[in-house]
Structure formats: structure tokens, C-alpha cells
Amino acid sequence: MGRDWLRLIGSGVLGLGLGGAASYWYVKRNLVRDSASIPENAVIEHHCLKYGLPSTDDLRFHQNFVLSFDSAKRNAKWVLEHITKESSSGKGSRADVRFFEDAGLEPRFRSRLDDYRNSGYDRGHLAPAANHKGDQVGLSETFSMSNISPQVGKGFNRDYWARFERFVKTLAWSSDDVYIVTGPLYVPQRTPQGYVMYYPMIGTPPCLVAVPTHFYKVVLAESRSRLPFGAPKVSVGAFVMPNDQIQPDMPLTAFSVPLKMLENVAGMKFFPGYVSDARRQSLDAAAFRWNQTGQEQKKLLKWGDRSQMQGGLLMLEAPTPQAVAQKGRQAKQRQALPAGEAAPSRGSGAVALVTGAADDTLHICDAVECKLPAEDWFESNKSKQPKA
């Protein structure tokens, strides 16, 4: 039964006409906290589930990326990619590729080609085509409209955001594997009456497409065989940018945000299989430090303020003095231990290698220079744009 329902999810129809068995699977995996204590052959019955659960997000599986589609806003909630140097380099070409509607989504819930015509917004990729040039099929799949969001063209999709995508892609050249989560954000504005959500809509009522106020990327770069016993070297970073024109010389670090703050706004955890609470705290301290560096550089540019760039709910918070002190104590403990010697883990009698400590994870900007390609990079390297 489990494999059959995994195939059902892969077809992107989770929630559509689900009966008791599917309801059991969903409840077991998503609603029951201690699901490990439920036997695999157990049957969960609830009188409300007689006719299945309401349709929610649709999962769409592609060759090199997976996405969760929000049929209410007709945007992906998130797109998760896995790229390598090989998969992002090759003969794949976008020259003869056209955007296409996702036939795996019900027509009334999908994003349509006509929604974008004369809207004033670009069809902006969430998983960029350039990340998947290793295979023509993989590249072509990125032109599915379920992977597209309305983006401001000049100054963003065709400029700063494109350069940011290039920066992320180049991480695959110095790492073995790069995992990227990209998605839209809808950030409210602060008014005298309180917070108000405002974002444009395009298309034809009632099937409208929401225009995000911001976009985010969370990047995890992994390099194997760099540490003892083959443990991977991992770096993580989260960035949020407004869906608006961005000054070309704006420092990338000014858009670095603490992972916890992004998760609070997006309503989801990123890379939960790796980012523990301790790692998140360490990463967020580094993110705050890098953002402060970017803010100082930004002041020299006299461009906007932080609330304009990231929205009221993404205002950064400094790490607590206790967190900074704890991080410093951990660093001193590592320096005092001989190479490869194990250090006791917190809250247990077990031991773990120092490389598995909470602060073994680097922020992306501590691992590589967080600097975008030259301002004219996109203009000098763009390919022929696909036709609708």
C-alpha cells in the first residue's frame, strides 16, 4: 500500500478524492506526532474522513527538482533542486523551448500562459533552466508553468536575481552537491492600523495568480571527503529579496537572513534532516553578522532601508549574548582538543566527533565569497528567450 500511495503523490494528486487508506497515510505522516509508535498495518479511522481530505498542495516530481504547488495562489510554495557540476553543465539549450502549462494539475487550479500576457511581469523561473543544462529533458522541465512565478523584469529577474542564480550555480563547481529551496513570500506591510497584506494579482477572475512581494533561496552546499571519516563539509545560507528593482551594486550579504526568521514567515522548516536547533542557532548568528556587514555597505549606497528590502516580519534579530558566548566556548573547546578526538555530546553519555558538533556547519558566506557576477553578466550571456 505504501508504495502505491507514494506513486500517487508523485503524480501530484494528493488530496484529490482520497479515501480511508490515503487518509491514514496522510494522518500518520503529517498529523500524528508520534507516528513511529503506530504499526505499519494499523488502521486509523475517523468519521470525518469518510469522503477523504480536502485537496491541499500538489507535489510535482521532475528529473532534478521537486515542487509543492499552491493552487490558491497558483504559485509554487517551494521548489527543491539538487544540482552538481555535471548536471548544471552540458549541451542543454533553451533556444527552442517554450513555456507550457502543467498538465498534471487540474486546469482550473493551474497557472496558465495567458495569465502572464500583457501583465507587466516576467515568467520567472524558481528552478532556473541554467541549473539543468546537463540534460535537455531536465532543462525543458523547468519551463513548466508550475515552476514559474510573476517577477519584476528589469532590475530583478533580468538583472540582480539572474546574477544571484548564477552565484548559486557556481557553488556546484566547488562542491560535490548543492541543494536549493526557492520560493515566493507574501510579506505584509506595516500601516498605522496594523499589518496589511497587499500584493497584486494577474490573470482572469476567479482563477488569479498572486504576485509575490519577495522571493527566497535557502542553499545547502555539501563537499564529501573533506573531513575525517568521509564526513561532508556543509555550508548553508538563506537569502530574501524583494520582487522589485534592486540596485546592481547592492551587496548580496545585505539580503542574508537568519533561517529561523525566514521559517517563521514562510511557515515551513528547511532541510529538517540536517538543520537541528543547535545548527540553526549557529547559522543564524553568522547570518546576522553577514547581514550587518551588508547593511553597512548598503548605507554607503544610500539605497532604501531594511524594512523596504525584507518586509516588517523579516526584520533581523541579533543573537542573544548567551548564544554568542556559547559559540565562543565551543570554538575554544575545539581548539583545545587534539585532532580527531571525540567530544561529549550534549545531554547524553554518547560521544561524537568534533566535526559533528552543533557549529560544524558554515554559513555560505563563510565558505565562499558572497559576491555576484559583474553587472553586465546577464546582458552579455543571456540566450534567446523562449516563446510562449
Side-chain angles (χ1 to χ4, degrees):
M1 179 182 72
R3 292 181 180 177
D4 292 339
W5 286 115
L6 284 175
R7 285 197 292 269
L8 176 63
I9 295 171
S11 66
V13 293
L14 178 61
L16 297 177
L18 295 187
S23 299
Y24 154 73
W25 189 94
Y26 181 89
V27 171
K28 183 178 188 298
R29 299 299 183 193
N30 296 278
L31 302 183
V32 180
R33 286 186 179 274
D34 192 17
S35 59
S37 65
I38 302 175
E40 285 294 332
N41 58 353
V43 176
I44 297 178
E45 294 185 0
H46 193 288
H47 60 90
C48 293
L49 304 181
K50 179 179 179 180
Y51 296 108
L53 293 165
S55 171
T56 55
D57 299 346
D58 289 291
L59 289 177
R60 309 295 296 143
F61 285 76
H62 296 281
Q63 183 166 288
N64 293 321
F65 66 95
V66 181
L67 65 85
S68 174
F69 192 77
D70 181 352
S71 56
K73 292 185 173 66
R74 290 169 180 81
N75 278 261
K77 270 191 173 180
W78 51 260
V79 177
L80 171 61
E81 301 173 78
H82 172 217
I83 66 172
T84 64
K85 184 177 181 179
E86 292 72 25
S87 69
S88 59
S89 305
K91 298 182 179 180
S93 172
R94 57 187 291 168
D96 298 319
V97 181
R98 295 173 179 263
F99 291 100
F100 61 93
E101 296 182 12
D102 191 337
L105 299 174
E106 191 172 342
R108 62 192 177 123
F109 293 138
R110 72 176 63 151
S111 174
R112 298 165 299 187
L113 293 167
D114 286 343
D115 294 331
Y116 286 76
R117 291 197 175 103
N118 301 316
S119 68
Y121 292 95
D122 283 6
R123 297 184 180 105
H125 286 72
L126 297 177
N131 281 4
H132 306 283
K133 295 179 67 175
D135 179 85
Q136 187 61 44
V137 172
L139 183 146
S140 298
E141 287 182 335
T142 67
F143 287 85
S144 168
M145 292 298 293
S146 58
N147 180 48
I148 302 301
S149 281
Q151 291 186 336
V152 170
K154 184 178 180 181
F156 187 67
N157 181 49
R158 304 174 213 163
D159 295 283
Y160 201 94
W161 182 257
R163 293 162 59 207
F164 179 44
E165 290 176 331
R166 175 69 174 184
F167 164 78
V168 173
K169 177 182 175 179
T170 58
L171 294 175
W173 303 350
S174 58
S175 306
D176 294 303
D177 297 275
V178 178
Y179 299 87
I180 311 156
V181 184
T182 306
L185 284 178
Y186 306 89
V187 179
Q189 299 176 2
R190 177 180 286 178
T191 71
Q193 291 74 37
Y195 286 100
V196 176
M197 182 68 77
Y198 171 82
Y199 52 85
M201 308 284 283
I202 62 174
T204 304
C207 302
L208 294 170
V209 179
V211 179
T213 64
H214 295 71
F215 288 93
Y216 69 82
K217 279 188 185 289
V218 184
V219 184
L220 186 153
E222 183 180 66
S223 297
R224 297 183 296 274
S225 303
R226 298 289 182 87
L227 298 176
F229 305 101
K233 175 183 177 182
V234 177
S235 56
V236 181
F239 301 85
V240 173
M241 299 178 186
N243 187 15
D244 201 352
Q245 294 186 18
I246 300 177
Q247 187 169 318
D249 54 355
M250 181 63 58
L252 176 58
T253 51
F255 298 107
S256 168
V257 299
L259 190 58
K260 182 178 180 180
M261 301 303 291
L262 173 57
E263 290 178 334
N264 289 347
V265 175
M268 67 185 85
K269 290 184 177 181
F270 298 100
F271 304 118
Y274 179 79
V275 180
S276 62
D277 289 343
R279 282 176 170 150
R280 183 182 294 103
Q281 185 181 49
S282 178
L283 287 167
D284 286 356
F288 176 80
R289 171 170 49 83
W290 279 111
N291 181 272
Q292 290 298 98
T293 299
Q295 295 298 325
E296 291 301 318
Q297 295 173 350
K298 182 174 71 71
K299 287 178 182 178
L300 301 177
L301 301 174
K302 299 180 180 179
W303 186 83
D305 59 20
R306 187 164 57 191
S307 61
Q308 176 187 354
M309 291 166 50
Q310 297 170 345
L313 296 187
L314 279 172
M315 293 296 286
L316 300 177
E317 294 181 354
T320 64
Q322 293 85 352
V324 175
Q326 177 65 19
K327 185 174 177 64
R329 287 194 295 269
Q330 291 169 348
K332 290 180 179 179
Q333 289 172 359
R334 287 201 311 276
Q335 294 173 359
L337 287 170
E341 183 174 331
S345 61
R346 298 181 194 172
S348 73
V351 295
L353 289 174
V354 174
T355 54
D359 58 353
D360 63 333
T361 305
L362 289 173
H363 189 274
I364 285 287
C365 296
D366 288 318
V368 299
E369 183 181 12
C370 280
K371 184 178 180 180
L372 298 185
E375 294 176 25
D376 62 350
W377 170 83
F378 181 76
E379 289 297 325
S380 60
N381 288 275
K382 66 180 179 181
S383 304
K384 179 182 177 183
Q385 295 295 315
K387 299 179 181 180

